[in-house]
Amino acid sequence: MGRLDGKVIVLSAGAQGMGRAAAEAFAKEGATVYATDINKEKLMELSGVAGITPEVLDVTKKDDIVAFAAKIPKIDVLFNCAGFVHNGTILETDEAAWDFSFNVNVKSMYLMTKEFLPKMIAQGKGNIINMASVASSIKGAPNRCVYGATKAAVIGFTKALSADHISQGVRCNCICPGTVTTPSLLGRINALPDPEQSMKDFIARQPMKRMAGPEEVAHLLVYLASDESQFTTGSSVVIDGGWSN
Ligand code: NAD
């Protein structure tokens, strides 16, 4: 018997990183998973995996979200995972970069939630999990100006949803990972002038002297997606190996 038997889960950013690890972990625990992403090639690696239906979806495009949601009559869990990490201080963040990050990291969650929440309310039960970060209202991380601002907004959004909709049976939590070895993180490190030194620096700032793997974060996501966490709502759950401690 799986911990997520019978649950229908929709998630974004399913092609790689924590979204993909979550899709695989959810399916292994018996859920029916709709894994969405804009990266069709990577996403289609999931086709044929039992329990997972990959669907190309840009979570910044309202009309596409509306059309996608119309195909999914029942939903138990929405995991809003998609996000983009901009590197820089405020002086290195132009208006376009600011707007882009808020669009991908925050407005996408508003658009997805607006479509799926009414279905949860009609069912009298639902569960929303948002991807925040320790780099947010929890910790000021260098060169994460707009990123930190967006992830602090995700925490506020999560708490507001929880306050408004728990009386209708819908709970909402977010997770706040520290540094996780995902393709985009490795890409960011490789783009730095001295990738080898930068990797050492990233590891040096970790109290455990290592980063997390996406599958470690997926364990937490399975718990939050399951009824084992049914008394938990409005929480920002930190999973950072003690980085923000
Ligand atoms: P990643 O950054 O490697 O992959 C992100 C995925 O999101 C990609 O497959 C990409 O195609 C998809 N995506 C981007 N824009 C999209 C859009 N508009 N619509 C649909 N899909 C889109 O994976 P990751 O590092 O696991 O990041 C996932 C989330 O976790 C992000 O919100 C990120 O900010 C957050 N996060 C990451 C870390 C880390 O250290 N990696 C730490 C804390 C939080």
Side-chain angles (χ1 to χ4, degrees), residues 13 15-19 37-39 57-60 81-85 104 131-133 147 151 177-180 182-185 188:
Q16 64 182 39
M18 288 179 270
D37 203 290
I38 38 170
N39 185 340
L57 179 69
D58 182 336
V59 286
T60 64
C81 181
F84 171 76
V85 183
V104 175
M131 177 59 83
S133 171
Y147 182 73
K151 293 302 187 182
T179 316
V180 187
T182 63
S184 70
L185 176 84
R188 283 190 297 281

Side-chain angles (χ1 to χ4, degrees), residues 121-197:
I121 293 172
Q123 294 161 187
K125 193 173 180 197
N127 182 356
I128 299 165
I129 307 168
N130 295 324
M131 177 59 83
S133 171
V134 153
S136 59
S137 49
I138 296 171
K139 184 175 173 73
N143 296 310
R144 292 287 180 268
C145 179
V146 65
Y147 182 73
T150 63
K151 293 302 187 182
V154 170
I155 294 174
F157 177 60
T158 300
K159 288 181 177 290
L161 284 176
S162 173
D164 283 337
H165 300 292
I166 192 58
S167 60
Q168 292 157 311
V170 180
R171 59 197 182 92
C172 182
N173 298 287
C174 63
I175 65 162
C176 304
T179 316
V180 187
T181 51
T182 63
S184 70
L185 176 84
L186 299 174
R188 283 190 297 281
I189 291 176
N190 282 330
L192 292 167
D194 185 348
E196 211 173 304
Q197 187 55 45

Side-chain angles (χ1 to χ4, degrees), residues 48-237:
V49 176
I52 302 181
T53 304
E55 280 264 355
V56 174
L57 179 69
D58 182 336
V59 286
T60 64
K61 298 220 165 105
K62 184 180 171 181
D63 291 349
D64 295 356
I65 293 170
V66 171
F68 170 66
K71 294 192 287 188
I72 304 197
K74 172 194 185 262
I75 176 169
D76 298 291
V77 182
L78 171 65
F79 174 32
N80 289 313
C81 181
F84 171 76
V85 183
H86 178 269
N87 187 60
T89 67
I90 186 171
L91 301 176
E92 292 146 352
T93 309
D94 62 19
E95 254 186 274
W98 181 271
D99 289 345
F100 180 83
S101 286
F102 266 88
N103 200 32
V104 175
N105 296 6
V106 188
K107 191 175 175 193
S108 67
M109 295 192 183
Y110 157 79
L111 292 173
M112 287 289 278
T113 304
K114 202 118 190 243
E115 280 318 300
F116 285 104
L117 177 65
K119 294 177 197 279
M120 295 178 176
I121 293 172
Q123 294 161 187
K125 193 173 180 197
N127 182 356
I128 299 165
I129 307 168
N130 295 324
M131 177 59 83
S133 171
V134 153
S136 59
S137 49
I138 296 171
K139 184 175 173 73
N143 296 310
R144 292 287 180 268
C145 179
V146 65
Y147 182 73
T150 63
K151 293 302 187 182
V154 170
I155 294 174
F157 177 60
T158 300
K159 288 181 177 290
L161 284 176
S162 173
D164 283 337
H165 300 292
I166 192 58
S167 60
Q168 292 157 311
V170 180
R171 59 197 182 92
C172 182
N173 298 287
C174 63
I175 65 162
C176 304
T179 316
V180 187
T181 51
T182 63
S184 70
L185 176 84
L186 299 174
R188 283 190 297 281
I189 291 176
N190 282 330
L192 292 167
D194 185 348
E196 211 173 304
Q197 187 55 45
S198 304
M199 178 59 95
K200 282 186 188 148
D201 294 344
F202 264 102
I203 289 171
R205 76 182 191 184
Q206 308 297 319
M208 291 190 188
K209 301 298 168 224
R210 70 171 183 88
M211 299 177 194
E215 65 294 336
E216 293 181 279
V217 179
H219 291 312
L220 171 61
L221 289 161
V222 166
Y223 168 70
L224 287 175
S226 78
D227 293 339
E228 293 160 18
S229 60
Q230 62 194 352
F231 201 57
T232 303
T233 191
S235 290
S236 329
V237 185

